[in-house]
């Protein structure tokens, strides 16, 4: 069993690669973004509190996301956990280390998906996802084969995110560079960081990720 973090700015391809690892290696994707969006639509008190923060592109408080991850770590882990969009601050990284240690689990690799900022804007502005299975698409680079129908599950509810707009994206990038990019040094110092070229085609990125995991 392999537990990994997918690290990278908004639009780097973390969700895209996580979905492949779920299909190919039966790993379990833990996306704090998906969990928060689910809380938002289910109308819980916490969901209401985070909705505005997310729409602006700011980070939700550490305690909320750490709580969400802690709950999920008690569930099935299949071929291992993929932490997608978590941790995003040094406090979250410390908390993840403590949680895993408490549960007798290890963190096996941190994979940084490296992408130029200009490409991120183009990726985010064309993105849509299947509401049923979470498959990620793009207007130009990955449209659905049949219009309005998910290739993966046949679902017909295709959705664009409220925070995929120019203003929120600017804030998301600032948040990433201010609060999340210090994790690159944090995990490098622990000898756990591996970089992959996220500017390559998704298949090539997936091959690079698979090679890293197979080496272990
Ligand atoms: P979250 O949902 O985690 O969003 P994000 O980190 O901004 O990342 P994205 O989902 O936008 O991008 P991605 O890297 O998954 O790219 P994707 O594969 O979709 O977080 C949203 C919000 O929730 C945050 O702003 C914050 O408010 C809150 N939040 C979440 N976690 C938190 C935490 N831990 N702490 C505090 N707050 C938290 O790909 C993007 C597009 O590019 C797609 O269209 C895809 O088809 C395309 N694409 C993918 N790979 C390639 C490629 N190699 N070449 C060309 N196109 C590609």
């Amino acid at each position: 069993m392999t537990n990994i973090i997918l690290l990278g700015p908004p639009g780097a391809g973390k969700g895209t690669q996580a979905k492949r690892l779920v299909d190919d290696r039966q790993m379990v994707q833990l996306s704090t973004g998906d969990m928060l969006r689910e809380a938002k639509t289910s109308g819980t008190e916490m969901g209401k509190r985070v909705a505005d923060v997310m729409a602006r592109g700011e980070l939700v408080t550490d305690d909320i996301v750490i709580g969400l991850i802690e709950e999920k770590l008690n569930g099935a882990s299949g071929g291992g956990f993929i932490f997608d969009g978590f941790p995003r601050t040094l406090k979250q990284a410390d908390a993840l280390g403590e949680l895993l240690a408490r549960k007798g689990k290890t963190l096996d690799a941190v994979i940084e998906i490296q992408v130029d900022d200009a490409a991120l804007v183009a990726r985010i502005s064309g993105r849509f996802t299947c509401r049923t299975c979470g498959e990620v698409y793009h207007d130009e680079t990955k449209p659905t084969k049949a219009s309005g129908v998910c290739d993966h599950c046949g679902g017909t509810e295709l959705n664009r995110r409220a925070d995929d707009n120019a203003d929120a994206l600017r804030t998301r990038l600032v948040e990433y560079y201010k609060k999340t990019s210090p994790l690159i040094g944090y995990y490098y110092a622990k000898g756990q960081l591996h970089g992959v070229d996220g500017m390559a085609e998704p298949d090539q990125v997936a091959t690079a990720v698979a090679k890293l995991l197979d080496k272990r």
Side-chain angles (χ1 to χ4, degrees), residues 105-182:
K105 297 181 193 296
T106 52
L107 176 62
D108 300 294
V110 178
I111 300 177
E112 184 203 357
I113 306 180
Q114 299 155 341
V115 178
D116 300 346
D117 284 357
L120 300 175
V121 177
R123 288 186 187 186
I124 292 280
S125 52
R127 172 176 50 189
F128 58 99
T129 52
C130 172
R131 212 187 271 278
T132 311
C133 72
E135 187 71 7
V136 187
Y137 294 96
H138 190 278
D139 291 326
E140 279 153 32
T141 57
K142 193 190 166 193
T144 53
K145 290 189 183 111
S147 170
V149 182
C150 174
D151 300 348
H152 195 249
C153 75
T156 52
E157 279 191 76
L158 303 174
N159 177 49
R160 286 182 200 267
R161 273 169 44 178
D163 58 346
D164 280 353
N165 60 71
D167 281 349
L169 179 59
R170 210 168 299 121
T171 307
R172 283 159 67 193
L173 280 172
V174 171
E175 291 281 77
Y176 177 78
Y177 286 114
K178 256 184 16 198
K179 298 176 183 166
T180 308
S181 66

Side-chain angles (χ1 to χ4, degrees), residues 30-49:
L30 298 184
S31 157
T32 40
D34 286 349
M35 292 175 209
L36 290 165
R37 279 184 287 280
E38 208 177 290
K40 232 170 53 173
T41 47
S42 64
T44 59
E45 203 43 53
M46 187 263 279
K48 285 180 208 154
R49 268 192 286 147

